[in-house]
Amino acid sequence: MRLTAEPARFAAVRRAVRDQLSAWGREDLSDAATLCATEMLANVHRHADSPECELTLDRLPGAGEGVRLAVSDQCSGLPTPTTPQPWAETGRGLLLLAATAERWGTDLTPTGKQVWAVLR
C-alpha cells in the first residue's frame, strides 16, 4: 500500500491491516499489527524528509506462522531508540515496537530505509 504518512489517514491504514489479517484468519495479530503500523507511520510523519511511504504486510509460512509488517520511506536516517523522560509526550514508538513484535529491525534500501516487525 503506497500512502502519505499523515495522521488523518492512520485509521484507514489500521482498517486495511485488520481487514487483511481477518482474510488470513489472523485476527489475533490485529492489535499488535495496527499498533506497530501506527508507530512506524508516525515516525515517517515526524522524522522522514517526505511523508510518502509504502506499507507491506506479508504472511510468513511454516511453523509459528505470523506476519511481517514493514514501512519503507525515502529517508536513509535510521531510527535510534531512546529512553524518554517520564513526562515526555514523544519518544516511545520504538519501545512500543520492541515490546510488541517478536523482532524488529531496519534495512537501508536504494531509496531510503525499511523498518519492519515480525509478529507471531
Side-chain angles (χ1 to χ4, degrees):
M1 170 188 301
R2 292 187 187 279
L3 59 122
T4 302
E6 294 294 337
R9 297 185 177 185
F10 293 176
V13 172
R14 287 191 293 268
R15 278 191 299 278
V17 168
R18 284 186 188 282
D19 289 348
Q20 185 59 58
L21 290 170
S22 179
W24 288 339
R26 293 308 311 258
E27 293 91 349
D28 58 311
L29 297 177
S30 289
D31 289 343
T34 56
L35 173 69
C36 289
T38 301
E39 292 303 327
M40 290 177 187
L41 292 173
N43 281 345
V44 172
H45 175 73
R46 287 188 191 106
H47 304 293
D49 298 331
S50 167
E52 301 305 314
C53 60
E54 183 175 4
L55 182 141
T56 57
L57 185 62
D58 296 305
R59 194 173 182 177
L60 300 174
E65 177 184 300
V67 297
R68 182 180 187 273
L69 174 74
V71 172
S72 300
D73 64 39
Q74 300 167 19
C75 180
S76 61
L78 298 177
T80 53
T82 61
T83 303
Q85 295 297 327
W87 56 83
E89 294 181 12
T90 62
R92 291 177 182 78
L94 295 177
L95 295 174
L96 287 171
L97 194 62
T100 304
E102 177 180 278
R103 65 184 188 276
W104 73 278
T106 58
D107 297 317
L108 289 174
T109 66
T111 58
K113 72 173 168 303
Q114 182 181 77
V115 179
W116 55 268
V118 172
L119 305 167
R120 295 192 193 273

